[in-house]
Amino acid sequence: MVALYNWLARVFSREQTTLVLAGYQSEDGKAALSLFAETPQFRKDIHEIIALTENWKDLEKAEMMLAVEYSRLFLIGGPEQVPAHESVYTSKRARICQQATTDMENMLRRFGMSAAGFPEPADHIGIELEFLASLTAAGTENGEAEQARRELLSRHLLVWAPEFCRLCALRDRTGFYSAAARILNGTLELERQALKQPAGGALPPPAR
């Protein structure tokens, strides 16, 4: 799941370049995506992404198409926008840089990390997914990381990211971001089911 979370973080954090798109078409790229398809819940959407990438004959045109859609969905305001920040979904004012941002900054700080250098607040979907990948990579033997991982899921990603995925799947016009959103939603559902199992007791109170 670590590689999958890192890939999804990259998909939703930045525009896809021709170099990245060429990577999807390479044998190594296809093999990497095919590994994700071993999970039945993702198989159909992973194969859809592989099929999409194979049909990109002009990578510069594909890059422009995806860049336009990325901007329309995640960067510029409008009725078709898909907000990529937790604060928009969980604050009364539906604005960025609210309590969720502070909570994520505090969580990152606990592990010597920050969102510095990334051009978005700490509760951006890309940052939360990269953090989830990092905590997952630490393994269940690291009690502090495992507890933080469960907190990140229960108090953050599972609260708002399913709606992000729903809107993205509904509004994307390329097929690429909608397929990625369905894959993300599938991973979160697996995490939701796993969290029903006891692991380490109650979650700690959120850091303030």
Side-chain angles (χ1 to χ4, degrees):
M1 296 292 274
V2 174
L4 181 59
Y5 287 138
N6 278 322
W7 173 65
L8 289 168
R10 292 192 296 271
V11 166
F12 293 118
S13 293
R14 59 187 72 95
E15 297 170 356
Q16 306 293 292
T17 65
T18 54
L19 183 62
V20 171
L21 301 186
Y24 287 137
Q25 293 182 334
S26 70
E27 291 305 314
D28 287 344
K30 291 178 183 178
L33 287 173
S34 295
L35 286 177
F36 300 150
E38 292 180 1
T39 302
Q41 290 89 335
F42 314 147
R43 187 168 297 140
K44 178 180 178 181
D45 294 307
I46 288 293
H47 288 163
E48 180 178 332
I49 285 181
I50 292 174
L52 281 171
T53 62
E54 289 177 339
N55 288 329
W56 291 335
K57 306 305 180 185
D58 187 328
L59 292 185
E60 290 187 355
K61 287 184 177 180
E63 178 188 45
M64 180 60 67
M65 172 192 68
L66 290 173
V68 168
E69 192 66 354
Y70 186 91
S71 179
R72 188 183 74 86
L73 290 173
F74 308 122
L75 299 181
I76 60 175
E80 291 295 294
Q81 183 185 19
V82 180
H85 303 88
E86 180 181 349
S87 289
V88 178
Y89 297 84
T90 59
S91 66
K92 292 181 179 180
R93 296 183 178 183
R95 296 178 181 176
I96 65 171
C97 297
Q98 302 299 307
Q99 185 62 49
T101 308
T102 302
D103 291 344
M104 283 305 307
E105 289 172 344
N106 290 337
M107 283 195 72
L108 290 166
R109 192 176 300 116
R110 281 157 51 189
F111 288 86
M113 303 167 67
S114 77
F118 188 76
E120 297 287 350
D123 62 335
H124 187 276
I125 185 69
I127 295 177
E128 292 196 10
L129 288 174
E130 283 191 3
F131 190 30
L132 180 61
S134 177
L135 294 173
T136 303
T140 56
E141 68 277 4
N142 185 327
E144 184 180 3
E146 176 62 15
Q147 199 80 336
R149 181 181 182 278
R150 289 166 58 81
E151 179 183 343
L152 176 60
L153 285 162
S154 296
R155 293 205 169 107
H156 296 278
L157 281 163
L158 289 174
V159 173
W160 74 279
E163 178 63 8
F164 166 84
C165 293
R166 186 189 72 82
L167 292 176
C168 190
L170 180 67
R171 296 173 179 174
D172 170 47
R173 299 180 299 194
T174 67
F176 179 77
Y177 293 110
S178 54
R182 289 192 296 271
I183 293 166
L184 174 55
N185 194 59
T187 67
L188 293 176
E189 182 55 34
L190 290 178
E191 294 285 13
R192 187 190 302 279
Q193 295 172 12
L195 285 178
K196 293 178 181 178
Q197 303 299 319
L203 293 172
R208 297 296 183 189

